Amino acid sequence: MDKVLSGIRPTGFLHLGNYFGALRNFIKMQQENDCYFFIADYHSLTTHPTPTDLRSNVKNVLIDYLAAGLDPEKATIYIQSDLPEVCELSLLLSMNVYVGELQRVSSFKEKVRRQPNNVNAGLLSYPILMAADILVHRADKVPVGKDQEQHLEMTRDFAQRFNHIYGVDYFKLPVAYNFGQELVKIPGLDGSTKMSKSDNENSCVYLSDTPEVIKKKVMKAVTDSGPTEPNQPKPQAIENLFALMRAVSAPETVQFFEGEYNECRIRYGDMKKQLAADMTAFIAPIHERIMELRSNDEYLRKVIRNGAERAHASAAPTVRDVREIIGIKPL
Ligand code: ADP
Ligand code: TRP
């Protein structure tokens, strides 16, 4: 069975874009693979969140993932900072990584532009820590979006370099987990092509939103005055509403509103009411689980304790071997 690993940034509540773009694939992946999912709290320190934000973000992300269907019986779910082996491997790897190659990483250059007053060493070494996350479990596959491809490539470079320097065939080279055509992009409610909390909070419908909030957000979604001629292509904001409907509504519902649009009879108010109702119904079971989990700290603690133990069992032998290969041995 392939070992598949993914890091989840603790950014707080998850929205429908995260669900269809990432979470849903994780839920499928855990059926067929030996999956490791961890919340990358060390990585989030590179942007200096306040301690209370960090803590609540880790908890909220954990809850949303569990509520949506990540199964701690099937996958190993843990928090990065519960696995100190990652720090040791990261340090050991760093000795064979060059400052120049880190300075050329696109995500680093982007951060330098975005937070010029906080260009900390953690940002520079971000790809080393990420490589350690992956290599510590000797994972085969890593599901990554476009923005993370370069990091994965560096992980392969570091692994290969380690093998080469020490003349061993120890680390295997992890590859991207390919979802093929299942990759979807969920648009925002603000007319933008991507639902994203970093771009615009108002574009997002969260898995933890109540029916009232969902309705309010959807009713405010950007539209126009409607088509004036039959069978015209749709402007972006309208296409977005249809794309959201395709994600959560029954095919007949989508077909009905397509027909209304093409015949210039569409009433966006009716369409939005329907979309809000279908989103609410789609989210309802997840929402219910979120509410349950929020008041069940004992269960959450059990999940992460268990996850940390399993992650440790997978990581400890790697660090032991690497120490040995490097020459850190008892005298
Ligand atoms: P945000 O853009 O809201 O900050 P993140 O970057 O934290 O979201 O997203 C985490 C993961 O969720 C991404 O790697 C991507 O796979 C997925 N994702 C986020 N937004 C969308 C979207 N609108 N459509 C599809 N997938 C998305
Ligand atoms: N850098 C990833 C992101 O921003 C999160 C992450 C950290 C990760 N370590 C990882 C992803 C290891 C995959 C594997 O989304």
Side-chain angles (χ1 to χ4, degrees):
M1 217 176 359
D2 276 339
K3 246 189 188 185
V4 176
L5 170 130
S6 188
I8 299 157
R9 262 180 302 128
T11 48
F13 302 117
L14 295 182
H15 52 70
L16 281 174
N18 301 132
Y19 179 84
F20 285 103
L23 238 155
R24 192 178 53 154
N25 298 322
F26 290 178
I27 293 165
K28 276 195 213 144
M29 260 169 10
Q30 70 185 357
Q31 313 292 345
E32 294 141 29
N33 303 278
D34 180 17
C35 283
Y36 288 74
F37 299 116
F38 69 94
I39 301 178
D41 57 346
Y42 281 147
H43 274 115
S44 69
L45 293 172
T46 54
T47 52
H48 292 183
T50 65
T52 43
D53 283 352
L54 181 60
R55 191 164 187 276
S56 61
N57 282 348
V58 168
K59 183 171 172 185
N60 290 330
V61 164
L62 176 69
I63 288 176
D64 285 3
Y65 271 90
L66 292 172
L70 274 208
D71 182 353
E73 302 286 325
K74 296 201 175 85
T76 300
I77 301 165
Y78 66 99
I79 297 173
Q80 188 183 29
S81 59
D82 280 339
L83 191 66
E85 285 86 348
V86 163
C87 298
E88 182 165 357
L89 184 61
S90 180
L91 177 113
L92 295 175
L93 291 174
S94 76
M95 305 303 168
N96 298 317
V97 175
Y98 303 100
V99 171
E101 65 186 328
L102 295 173
Q103 285 168 327
R104 286 192 296 274
V105 175
S106 328
S107 60
F108 176 70
K109 290 197 278 194
E110 165 76 20
K111 285 290 187 197
V112 172
R113 271 194 299 274
R114 274 217 249 167
Q115 51 182 70
N117 299 322
N118 182 17
V119 184
N120 58 74
L123 278 177
L124 186 67
S125 59
Y126 190 110
I128 310 179
L129 183 58
M130 180 157 162
D133 290 328
I134 300 169
L135 297 176
V136 86
H137 297 296
R138 286 179 277 164
D140 300 285
K141 291 180 178 169
V142 183
V144 285
K146 265 253 157 288
D147 60 326
Q148 299 297 316
E149 274 172 6
Q150 193 181 20
H151 291 152
L152 185 59
E153 203 169 305
M154 294 182 81
T155 302
R156 283 194 292 269
D157 286 347
F158 301 161
Q160 205 155 23
R161 195 176 299 166
F162 180 93
N163 290 346
H164 179 73
I165 290 175
Y166 298 105
V168 290
D169 187 18
Y170 186 70
F171 284 124
K172 39 187 167 183
L173 309 185
V175 297
Y177 190 106
N178 204 337
F179 294 114
Q181 347 151 314
E182 286 164 50
L183 271 192
V184 290
K185 190 157 88 174
I186 298 293
L189 288 173
D190 58 348
S192 67
T193 56
K194 184 173 177 250
M195 185 177 282
S196 167
K197 62 182 156 293
S198 9
D199 296 346
N200 178 6
E201 282 262 355
N202 299 325
S203 76
C204 300
V205 174
Y206 294 99
L207 300 179
S208 49
D209 279 344
T210 60
E212 297 72 40
V213 170
I214 295 176
K215 185 149 187 211
K216 220 163 154 183
K217 286 184 177 174
V218 175
M219 294 316 281
K220 273 203 286 194
V222 179
T223 49
D224 58 16
S225 50
T228 48
E229 283 177 56
N231 301 314
Q232 286 299 299
K234 303 181 187 84
Q236 186 66 54
I238 306 305
E239 176 48 36
N240 287 357
L241 283 187
F242 277 94
L244 288 165
M245 219 176 208
R246 280 193 289 274
V248 297
S249 304
E252 309 81 72
T253 308
V254 183
Q255 217 171 8
F256 171 79
F257 286 101
E258 289 275 7
E260 295 293 280
Y261 183 88
N262 286 333
E263 316 248 318
C264 306
R265 278 196 309 248
I266 191 144
R267 291 165 57 162
Y268 291 130
D270 292 347
M271 182 178 178
K272 287 176 175 180
K273 263 189 220 146
Q274 182 70 47
L275 179 60
D278 292 344
M279 276 184 179
T280 301
F282 181 85
I283 289 175
I286 301 176
H287 186 87
E288 201 176 308
R289 285 274 294 152
I290 290 176
M291 293 305 148
E292 275 165 29
L293 288 169
R294 279 188 186 168
S295 56
N296 199 344
D297 281 350
E298 202 183 321
Y299 174 75
L300 296 175
R301 272 197 291 268
K302 205 176 92 193
V303 167
I304 56 162
R305 210 181 315 121
N306 191 349
E309 264 169 38
R310 280 156 59 178
H312 172 72
S314 156
T318 309
V319 173
R320 204 178 48 224
D321 294 345
V322 168
R323 276 174 155 253
E324 166 104 20
I325 292 168
I326 287 182
I328 302 178
K329 292 182 193 176
L331 287 179

